[in-house]
């Protein structure tokens, strides 16, 4: 097992861990959570042996193999599959043993080496590595391409596959989902659920953590606390613990005030001096409980759009793709005939490489359409968030200078103090507003891009993977802000919690076309897994074909008539292709009708949720005030009347919420 005992760790002058003690048992899958900058990656460096503890002990079984995803970008011309295979250190050692044995000519040693290779799974290692690569989104034609021919994000996927290939006893994964699309994330989740070793993962994806972890370690203010359960269970238990700690603090504060009051009253009286002195000593001996201090919740909102054109966008025969310098076209998605309406919340789904980002870039104007026409509504103003936005920030300039340029060039104009106040709402305070962007963390850069987006007051938000560098608090704030936004949202993301909370309809980009996806995210995940299994099966059959052909050729008997291939189960797209045109039109009309019927209901449910949140907070404050001692009669009566009114309003809203939810369930069940 892994044991930290009274362990302290510093990074420079910063104390990361202060006398931390925790035990992780073999086979446990642990989520390591905490705000950005708390020291999670430093703890990983300690476990991996790159850092040493300043005090205390770290105990790891000496024979444990540790695997982690290397953060440096690999620069090698080695083939992708061979690069991943080298991650299997056990197999690499067995192959090195065989090379030495063959060089020495020792027959027994050669036999033992072959046995070690067999035990390490060497004879099926290559197919396993290639299945892993395909699960992470690589196509069969890319499996042997040089590593340095891939872009940065794909090389990081190769590093992830190389780490997964290692038969490790302890796996350390630091934000493994950052460079993955939703299809690759679903595959990784399924793979990690089957992983038998001990695993510690840092992630800001709550659904990913909920699916793969059973223990949560919370690193906060140099303390490391273990919770049994996944991230959702941790949140619930921590809320209870914080409430209990706050109650203990309040009780102690009341007790100390009582003691101090006695001391102040009687310390000058000779007859009570002894009792007063006794209470002074009791007060001094009392171990002080600190107030509950948590990171302040981060909240922001998108400004009300100046106009809401309807439709926002209209596509007519649009084809998206690239045109070479010589004029040759490469079409990725074509035949797009759709409209984007005011108030829609559209999630754009699709396997990697199908054209989601190409579609987004065409909408925003970064790529011209290859054919067809995109008509923008009068007054359309697009707010675009893309990962490359982080790279185009000026590294030498501070957030304030970025905002000054934005207000000057694009508006609305503002004074410097107004811009400082605005940046403060995004947690850029004090000297941070002039700190060079190049020295900011990825999360801080992403918050700056969000701030610049909000300032422009868009009516259509086009968001391409906006959460990659955001911690959980900022992701939740983004979800709330998007739900309250009055304009239209089009979202590409692998964050399933964000997709579930924001989007009420989905577009599927697949096989060079866009079609509505008639289902929820769970249906989409099942579809992705089916596609992945089918691709892996096809790859195995393709790899086995030459061997089967050679065996057939060696046969001396006449060849039997070939057996017809078993047809693969028809996919959703194939089934739809078999439908008549009228059936497809009727199905599309029914989907649109259900969407139209559900939309106002969902909007009202969101408004009720927001109103209930306000009422619950006021109710709790009133109840706390009524419990205070020495409340005057007039205030007691007024608070009691207000509390009664709030409780009645809550009851009415909850009844309406239940009614609306039932209607939405009925609409969902009417599918088909």
């Amino acid at each position: 097992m892994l044991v930290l005992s009274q362990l302290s760790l510093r990074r420079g002058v910063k104390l990361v861990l202060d006398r931390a003690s925790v035990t992780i048992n073999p086979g446990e899958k642990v989520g390591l959570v905490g705000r950005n900058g708390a020291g999670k990656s430093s703890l990983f460096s300690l476990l991996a042996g790159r850092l040493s503890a300043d005090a205390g002990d770290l105990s790891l079984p000496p024979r444990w193999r540790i695997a982690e995803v290397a953060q440096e970008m690999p620069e090698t011309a080695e083939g992708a599959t061979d690069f991943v295979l080298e991650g299997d250190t056990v197999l690499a050692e067995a192959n090195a043993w065989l090379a030495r044995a063959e060089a020495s000519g020792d027959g027994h040693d050669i036999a033992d080496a072959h046995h070690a290779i067999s035990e390490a799974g060497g004879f099926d290692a290559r197919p396993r590595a290639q299945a892993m690569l395909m699960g992470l989104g690589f196509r069969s034609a890319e499996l042997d391409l040089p590593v340095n021919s891939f872009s940065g994000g794909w090389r990081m996927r190769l590093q992830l596959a190389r780490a997964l290939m290692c038969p490790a006893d302890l796996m350390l994964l630091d934000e493994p989902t950052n460079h993955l699309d939703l299809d690759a994330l679903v595959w990784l989740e399924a793979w990690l659920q089957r992983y038998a070793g001990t695993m510690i993962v840092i992630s800001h994806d709550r659904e990913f953590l909920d699916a793969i972890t059973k223990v949560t370690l919370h690193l906060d203010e140099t303390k490391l606390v273990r919770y049994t359960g996944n991230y959702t269970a941790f949140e619930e238990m921590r809320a209870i613990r914080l409430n209990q700690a706050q109650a203990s603090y309040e009780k102690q504060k009341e007790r100390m005030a009582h003691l101090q009051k006695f001391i102040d009253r009687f310390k000058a009286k000779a007859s009570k001096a002894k009792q007063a002195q006794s209470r002074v000593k009791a007060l001094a001996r009392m171990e002080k409980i600190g107030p509950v201090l948590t990171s302040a919740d981060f909240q922001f909102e998108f400004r009300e759009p100046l106009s809401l054109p309807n439709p926002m966008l209209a596509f007519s025969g649009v084809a998206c793709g690239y045109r070479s310098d010589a004029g040759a076209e490469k079409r990725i998605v074509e035949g797009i005939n759709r409209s984007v309406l005011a108030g829609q919340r559209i999630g754009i789904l699709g396997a990697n490489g199908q054209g989601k980002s190409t579609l987004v870039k065409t909408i925003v104007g970064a790529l011209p359409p290859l054919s067809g026409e995109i008509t923008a509504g009068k007054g359309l103003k697009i707010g675009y968030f893309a990962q490359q936005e982080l790279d185009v920030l000026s590294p030498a300039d501070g957030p304030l200078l970025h905002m000054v340029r934005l207000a000057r060039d694009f508006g609305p104009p503002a004074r410097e103090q107004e811009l400082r106040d605005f940046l403060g709402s995004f947690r850029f305070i004090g000297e941070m507003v002039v700190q060079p962007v190049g020295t900011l963390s990825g999360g801080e850069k992403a918050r700056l891009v969000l701030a610049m987006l909000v300032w422009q007051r868009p009516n259509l938000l086009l968001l391409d993977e906006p959460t990659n560098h955001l911690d959980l608090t900022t992701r939740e704030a983004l979800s709330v802000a998007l739900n309250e936004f009055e304009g239209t949202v089009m979202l590409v993301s692998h964050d399933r919690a964000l997709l579930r909370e924001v989007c009420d309809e989905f577009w599927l980009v697949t096989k060079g076309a866009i079609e509505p996806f008639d289902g929820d995210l769970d249906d989409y995940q099942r579809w992705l897994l089916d596609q992945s299994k089918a691709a892996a099966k096809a790859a195995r059959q393709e790899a086995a074909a030459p061997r089967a052909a050679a065996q057939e050729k060696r046969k001396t008997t006449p060849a039997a008539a070939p057996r017809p291939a078993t047809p693969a189960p028809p996919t959703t797209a194939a089934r739809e292709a078999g439908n008549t045109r009228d059936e497809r039109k009727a199905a599309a009309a029914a989907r649109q009708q259900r969407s139209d019927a559900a939309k106002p209901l969902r909007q009202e449910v969101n408004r009720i949720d927001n109103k209930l949140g306000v009422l619950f907070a006021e109710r709790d404050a009133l109840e706390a005030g009524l419990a205070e001692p020495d409340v005057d009669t007039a205030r007691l009566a007024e608070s009691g009347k207000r509390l009664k009114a709030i409780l009645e309003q809550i009851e009415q809203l909850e009844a309406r919420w239940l009614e609306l939810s039932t209607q939405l369930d009925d609409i969902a069940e009417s599918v088909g």
Side-chain angles (χ1 to χ4, degrees), residues 197-414:
T198 304
M199 178 182 70
I200 306 177
V201 58
I202 299 171
S203 177
H204 293 306
D205 185 330
R206 63 166 60 239
E207 289 206 20
F208 180 69
L209 289 172
D210 277 349
I212 65 170
T213 64
K214 301 297 182 186
V215 175
T216 301
L217 292 182
H218 183 220
L219 178 55
D220 185 49
E221 302 295 337
T222 74
K223 304 300 179 186
L224 193 61
V225 182
R226 175 187 166 113
Y227 294 82
T228 300
N230 60 18
Y231 184 81
T232 297
F234 149 73
E235 278 194 320
E236 294 169 355
M237 288 186 286
R238 183 167 182 258
I240 293 171
R241 181 174 292 190
L242 288 175
N243 287 336
Q244 291 172 340
Q246 186 65 29
S248 298
Y249 169 71
E250 296 295 340
K251 286 180 181 178
Q252 187 187 70
K253 190 166 67 169
E254 183 180 336
R255 171 66 177 157
M256 292 171 68
H258 179 75
L259 289 173
Q260 190 63 52
K261 186 177 180 181
F262 185 94
I263 294 167
D264 294 341
R265 182 178 178 185
F266 295 113
K267 63 182 179 182
K269 288 191 177 183
S271 59
K272 294 288 186 179
K274 189 173 182 180
Q275 292 93 324
Q277 189 61 33
S278 174
R279 283 160 175 75
V280 169
K281 292 178 180 178
L283 194 60
R285 286 196 304 269
M286 190 177 292
E287 184 177 348
K288 304 299 187 296
I289 299 174
V292 174
L293 298 174
T294 60
S295 299
D297 289 337
F298 173 59
Q299 295 179 333
F300 72 97
E301 61 182 16
F302 290 97
R303 299 176 174 187
E304 181 182 355
L306 296 175
S307 63
L308 289 174
N310 197 21
M312 294 266 181
L313 292 168
F315 299 85
S316 178
V318 172
C320 305
Y322 301 88
R323 186 178 280 111
S324 69
D325 294 337
E329 291 183 356
K330 181 179 181 181
R331 297 194 170 203
I332 309 297
V333 187
E334 56 187 338
I336 306 173
N337 294 285
R338 304 192 65 81
S339 294
V340 178
L341 305 179
Q344 279 188 297
R345 301 289 194 269
I346 302 168
I348 302 175
L349 306 176
N352 177 71
Q354 293 296 311
K356 300 187 301 295
S357 292
T358 305
L359 171 65
V360 168
K361 290 175 182 176
T362 304
I363 293 173
V364 81
L367 290 174
L370 299 180
S371 66
E373 186 177 1
I374 302 176
T375 305
K378 184 178 180 181
L380 177 69
K381 191 167 187 179
I382 297 177
Y384 178 44
F385 185 110
Q387 279 310 112
Q388 55 264 36
E389 289 288 331
L390 303 187
D391 299 326
V392 300
L393 294 172
S394 301
D397 299 332
L400 180 60
L401 188 52
H402 281 81
M403 290 301 303
V404 167
R405 281 198 296 259
L406 181 67
R408 180 193 65 209
D409 298 340
F410 299 98

Side-chain angles (χ1 to χ4, degrees), residues 534-557:
K537 181 179 179 181
R540 288 196 298 271
Q541 290 174 343
E542 185 180 349
R547 186 167 62 250
Q551 290 173 348
E552 188 69 21
K553 188 176 180 180
R554 286 196 299 269
K555 289 182 179 179
T556 56
T557 56

Side-chain angles (χ1 to χ4, degrees), residues 135-150:
L136 289 174
F138 291 84
R139 293 188 290 269
S140 56
E142 299 172 325
L143 298 179
D144 292 311
L145 291 180
V147 170
N148 56 15
S149 69
F150 293 99

